[in-house]
Amino acid sequence: MSLYSEKLAHLKKELAIIMGKKTKKLSTTQKSIYMFIQGKSDHVIFTCKDKTIVLMSGDEKKGIRHILEKHYNQNDLEAMDILNMIDICKRGIKLNEVGVSNTSLVVYMSMKDKKEHRLVLNEVEENYFVVTAYKKG
């Protein structure tokens, strides 16, 4: 079993537990991400701050594969962070230079529970971005 498959199975299991305990309904955005993780769709498209953002399987550098292999658990992203990743764009601030190692990427940062969450957007077409996310300790 690949690392991606292993982490995806763990995320699905964790989300099933969360969904069983959830007293409030998921937002439309959370529901879309949840359905994508469950394999019901091959990508999710969002609009945030006049940008079209797509979450897809991706590869080792972007997308859900990258998020799971590099940033899921181990003191980094948790299941709810993944469901809420688009909120980083909606509620966060755009970083211009500080904290941005690759200036061709668009990076949003938001603080939650004393943790810094970042959403990284890679423009693949004009105003069409592929996403990844992580949390800084």
Side-chain angles (χ1 to χ4, degrees):
M1 181 182 275
S2 71
L3 177 61
Y4 170 67
S5 298
E6 186 178 311
K7 294 244 182 163
L8 182 60
H10 185 266
L11 177 60
K12 287 179 179 182
K13 189 178 201 179
E14 194 172 352
L15 287 174
I17 293 167
I18 290 169
M19 298 305 286
K21 295 178 182 178
K22 202 90 171 131
T23 56
K24 84 175 201 183
K25 288 187 166 188
L26 294 178
S27 71
T28 304
T29 303
Q30 290 171 322
K31 201 176 295 182
S32 297
I33 293 172
Y34 178 76
M35 296 305 283
F36 168 71
I37 290 167
Q38 295 300 324
K40 306 288 185 195
S41 62
D42 60 350
H43 65 279
V44 184
I45 297 178
F46 306 96
T47 302
C48 181
K49 298 185 180 178
D50 299 324
K51 293 175 177 34
T52 301
I53 301 168
V54 62
L55 174 61
M56 60 186 182
S57 296
D59 55 29
E60 65 277 349
K61 295 184 182 206
K62 61 189 173 299
I64 196 70
R65 178 176 160 198
H66 171 80
I67 291 168
L68 294 180
E69 289 179 351
K70 302 291 184 191
H71 303 293
Y72 178 54
N73 282 340
Q74 298 178 335
N75 300 319
D76 204 339
L77 292 177
E78 299 167 6
M80 286 307 297
D81 294 329
I82 292 171
L83 284 183
N84 294 323
M85 74 172 71
I86 299 305
D87 290 344
I88 300 168
C89 176
K90 291 179 181 176
R91 297 187 181 125
I93 59 169
K94 182 179 175 190
L95 301 179
N96 291 319
E97 292 177 21
V98 177
V100 179
S101 58
N102 183 341
T103 55
S104 68
L105 302 174
V106 177
V107 181
Y108 289 93
M109 186 270 302
S110 114
M111 296 294 288
K112 183 177 179 185
D113 300 327
K114 298 181 183 177
K115 299 285 184 181
E116 183 179 312
H117 291 78
R118 293 195 182 191
L119 186 74
V120 180
L121 307 177
N122 184 4
E123 190 168 26
V124 292
E125 293 177 23
E126 188 174 342
N127 288 325
Y128 187 82
F129 296 83
V130 175
V131 65
T132 192
Y134 64 95
K135 180 167 57 176
K136 291 187 78 152

